[in-house]
Amino acid sequence: MKIFSGIKPSGIIHLGNYIGALRQWVILQDAHECLFCIVDLHALTVRVDPALLRRLTLETAATYIACGLDAKKSVLFIQSHVPPHAELAWILNTLAKISELKLMHQFKEKSKSNPENINAGLFDYPVLMAADILLYDATHVPVGQDQQQHIELARELARRFNSIYGKTFVVPEGMIPPRGAKIMALDNPAKKMEKTGSIGGYIALTDTPDVIRKKIKSAVTDSGSDVLFDEKKKPALSNLITIYHLLSGLSIPAIEKEYQGKGYGQFKKGLSDVTIDFLKPIQQKFSECMGDPGALLRILEKGACAARAQADKKMQKVKENIGLIA
Ligand code: AMP
Ligand code: TRP
């Protein structure tokens, strides 16, 4: 398998990002060729202050490393350091249909929440994402549930290109984790946990123990008091149990047993302890990385060099096949 994935530096990384994406990546890098990207060009689709974008880009890289990505095992790089991403996106734009881009849920949602800035980049976002993936012949793309539709589009664009210009791209597959592919907001179990959602809805990987306790304490629960996993009848609690399960490694029945007859209050205290313990070493490593931005930038430059070598080779082939004089 060849793995590609990325996170956009558009906010603080939260438990949903970790559970849906990063957790898979750390496991995959031990056995597969992996590239993990900080997709800064994607972050530009929402208006962002330049100084903030620079900081979030470094923080996202530091988070990758803090969560266990290892530059010796994976290629870690910044999207804008490898110009072929944008170049291939342009070429794929000539194959992508306006009608199919109009169907993208993320575009529809972002247009609704940001009506004053429905820019062409926001519309084109999934084509750039397809370019990210196809440039490296990635066979598998580990992401959360919300990206499934974008992966489908990448697959369709690869097939379309191959059928018009001859076999050029690998048709990639999404890797959506069986559990935790859609972690819901703590303050609203009907909405997914999001970087841009309300503060009480997400737990940032950098939240302090006090903040974590407060957020979990005020998390919405369901009626009743039994700690039971039942996504239909107890969606809020099932979300919290999923987080507990994936951070502690304890099975869901073991968690139910542990809190039998103890009520939501005890369970929330337990979940806070599990989360704080889990995040402690990540936060320590994150601070170390952010304390030495020079070292971080050297890792990212080395990654960009490795990625550029692969991307340039692929672009050569794309240009030949499409009739551009390379
Ligand atoms: P984003 O925050 O949109 O940049 O997402 C980065 C990665 O985290 C993608 O693979 C998403 O699918 C994944 N992700 C984002 N939010 C969640 C969530 N609430 N639950 C699970 N995965 C998520
Ligand atoms: N669109 C993804 C998100 O919002 C981020 C992303 C950009 C990505 N390019 C990618 C994910 C390529 C996987 C592969 O989360």
Side-chain angles (χ1 to χ4, degrees):
M1 292 203 289
K2 186 163 180 189
I3 310 293
F4 183 97
S5 197
I7 297 182
K8 57 182 179 300
S10 57
I12 292 176
I13 298 190
H14 52 69
L15 277 182
N17 297 132
Y18 177 78
I19 291 173
L22 274 158
R23 189 170 163 269
Q24 274 61 251
W25 305 359
V26 174
I27 298 167
L28 287 163
Q29 69 175 349
D30 283 330
H32 305 282
E33 190 182 347
C34 293
L35 294 108
F36 298 113
C37 186
I38 296 130
V39 290
D40 54 349
L41 297 174
H42 279 102
L44 296 175
T45 55
V46 173
R47 191 75 60 237
V48 54
D49 170 62
L52 179 63
L53 178 60
R54 272 191 283 273
R55 182 162 65 78
L56 290 174
T57 302
L58 283 183
E59 284 184 0
T60 304
T63 305
Y64 282 11
I65 292 169
C67 287
L69 291 183
D70 179 348
K72 292 199 189 77
K73 298 179 187 165
S74 302
V75 175
L76 309 179
F77 70 106
I78 298 177
Q79 187 185 34
S80 65
H81 288 180
V82 184
H85 287 250
E87 195 180 10
L88 181 58
W90 174 259
I91 292 175
L92 295 177
N93 268 334
T94 64
L95 297 182
K97 298 184 176 130
I98 287 179
S99 56
E100 60 197 349
L101 294 180
K102 271 189 182 160
L103 299 176
M104 297 292 127
H105 305 311
Q106 191 166 309
F107 173 68
K108 290 197 256 183
E109 281 158 24
K110 292 255 150 83
S111 307
K112 224 189 254 170
S113 60
N114 235 344
E116 73 295 340
N117 187 20
I118 308 176
N119 60 74
L122 193 64
F123 189 58
D124 201 33
Y125 180 109
V127 180
L128 178 58
M129 174 163 163
D132 297 340
I133 299 166
L134 302 185
L135 205 43
Y136 299 97
D137 288 334
T139 58
H140 292 82
V141 186
V143 284
Q145 181 74 55
D146 62 336
Q147 296 303 312
Q148 176 132 40
Q149 200 187 23
H150 289 162
I151 305 272
E152 276 309 316
L153 182 82
R155 288 168 60 79
E156 179 52 33
L157 291 177
R159 284 192 292 256
R160 198 172 296 161
F161 191 104
N162 289 346
S163 76
I164 302 172
Y165 298 110
K167 175 110 184 67
T168 310
F169 293 122
V170 168
V171 179
E173 279 183 40
M175 271 182 119
I176 317 275
R179 270 208 200 285
K182 192 174 183 189
I183 296 294
M184 308 313 275
L186 300 185
D187 58 353
N188 181 357
K191 273 184 57 187
K192 88 177 159 117
M193 187 178 280
E194 270 192 307
K195 294 189 194 118
T196 47
S198 65
I199 279 193
Y202 65 81
I203 292 184
L205 299 192
T206 49
D207 276 345
T208 60
D210 279 355
V211 170
I212 293 171
R213 284 196 197 286
K214 218 188 262 163
K215 286 183 180 177
I216 292 180
K217 200 168 175 199
S218 19
V220 169
T221 44
D222 311 285
S223 54
S225 61
D226 294 334
V227 179
L228 288 175
F229 185 90
D230 183 331
E231 283 174 312
K232 281 223 166 66
K233 290 194 191 129
K234 288 184 176 251
L237 212 73
S238 301
N239 186 47
L240 299 179
I241 294 177
T242 300
I243 297 174
Y244 196 123
H245 161 57
L246 293 171
L247 298 190
S248 69
L250 222 59
S251 72
I252 290 176
I255 297 168
E256 289 174 334
K257 195 155 166 249
E258 167 90 22
Y259 291 98
Q260 203 171 17
K262 292 189 181 158
Y264 292 161
Q266 285 284 331
F267 168 71
K268 281 181 162 182
K269 188 181 169 304
L271 176 60
S272 301
D273 291 342
V274 161
T275 307
I276 291 165
D277 283 352
F278 178 81
L279 290 179
K280 200 169 165 199
I282 293 180
Q283 296 180 345
Q284 214 163 343
K285 186 97 196 160
F286 176 82
S287 299
E288 274 169 38
C289 286
M290 287 306 285
D292 191 354
L296 200 53
L297 287 169
R298 279 193 295 280
I299 288 174
L300 295 169
E301 190 39 48
K302 199 163 149 258
C305 260
R308 267 196 298 267
Q310 296 188 35
D312 286 345
K313 205 160 146 218
K314 192 74 190 178
M315 278 313 290
Q316 190 78 13
K317 180 144 198 263
V318 170
K319 286 178 179 172
E320 263 167 38
N321 290 1
I322 209 167
L324 296 172
I325 296 176

